[in-house]
């Protein structure tokens, strides 16, 4: 929101209003953890109540998500897609490679935040050494083609997202 005012509807006043946008400190719970942030909130000029509006609130949700992911080293959905692309696997195969349910990784690529165990497995997959640890665990769970892709990643026969290169740097290339 670039302007300081926002046309919306106040459910308390039951009318259209030109709400003032203010920044205030808020706390959201993410995965049971408190995340404090500066939120943009629409305030009704008549009753003074905050107005929930998805067009305003979306920015706050994205900020909280980014803060939590940075705090825990969890890749963004874009970074997760880039990681899977580095392996050259489908979503279903990569999810199986990590030991997840067939659709689990897809939910993370769409924005869901992985639980602690899944986040650890994803962190492992980001490095060659981690991939080498995951390969024996994935035997029999993924296709031969996907196994070959994982081995190529693990032993450096294709570009990877090795921690020495920096994950951010690798996906921007």
């Amino acid at each position: 929101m670039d302007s300081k005012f926002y046309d919306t509807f106040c459910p308390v006043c039951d009318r259209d209003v030109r709400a003032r946008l203010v920044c205030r400190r808020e706390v959201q719970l993410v995965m049971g953890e408190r995340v404090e942030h500066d939120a943009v909130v629409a305030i009704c000029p008549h009753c003074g109540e905050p107005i929930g509006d998805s067009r305003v609130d979306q920015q706050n949700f994205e900020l909280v998500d980014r803060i939590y992911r940075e705090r825990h080293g969890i890749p963004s959905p874009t970074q997760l897609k880039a990681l899977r692309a580095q392996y050259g696997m489908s979503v279903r195969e990569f999810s199986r490679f990590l030991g997840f349910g067939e659709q689990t990784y897809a939910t993370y690529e769409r924005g869901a935040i992985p639980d602690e165990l899944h986040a650890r497995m994803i962190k492992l997959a980001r490095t060659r050494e981690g991939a080498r640890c995951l390969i024996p665990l994935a035997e029999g769970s993924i296709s031969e083609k996907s196994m070959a892709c994982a081995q190529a990643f693990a032993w450096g026969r294709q570009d990877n997202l090795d921690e020495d290169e920096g994950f951010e740097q690798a996906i921007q290339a």
Side-chain angles (χ1 to χ4, degrees), residues 112-165:
I113 295 176
D115 61 33
E116 187 176 342
L117 178 60
H118 286 168
R120 286 181 186 174
M121 297 302 283
I122 292 166
K123 286 177 189 177
L124 264 177
R126 291 169 62 178
T127 67
R128 288 180 179 165
E129 183 180 339
R132 290 180 198 134
C133 293
L134 293 170
I135 286 171
L137 301 174
E139 286 183 19
S141 299
I142 60 175
S143 70
E144 289 180 23
K145 178 183 175 194
S146 292
M147 183 58 76
C149 289
Q151 291 168 340
F153 180 95
W155 280 276
R157 292 187 294 271
Q158 69 183 55
D159 292 338
N160 68 40
L161 301 175
D162 200 354
E163 69 268 6
D164 295 331
E165 296 170 346

Side-chain angles (χ1 to χ4, degrees), residues 9 14 22 31 42 69 74 77-78 90 96 98 124 148 158 168:
F9 179 81
D14 195 28
V22 299
M31 307 290 282
R69 286 176 185 276
I74 298 171
T78 301
S90 69
R96 287 180 184 158
L98 294 171
L124 264 177
Q158 69 183 55
E168 291 289 335

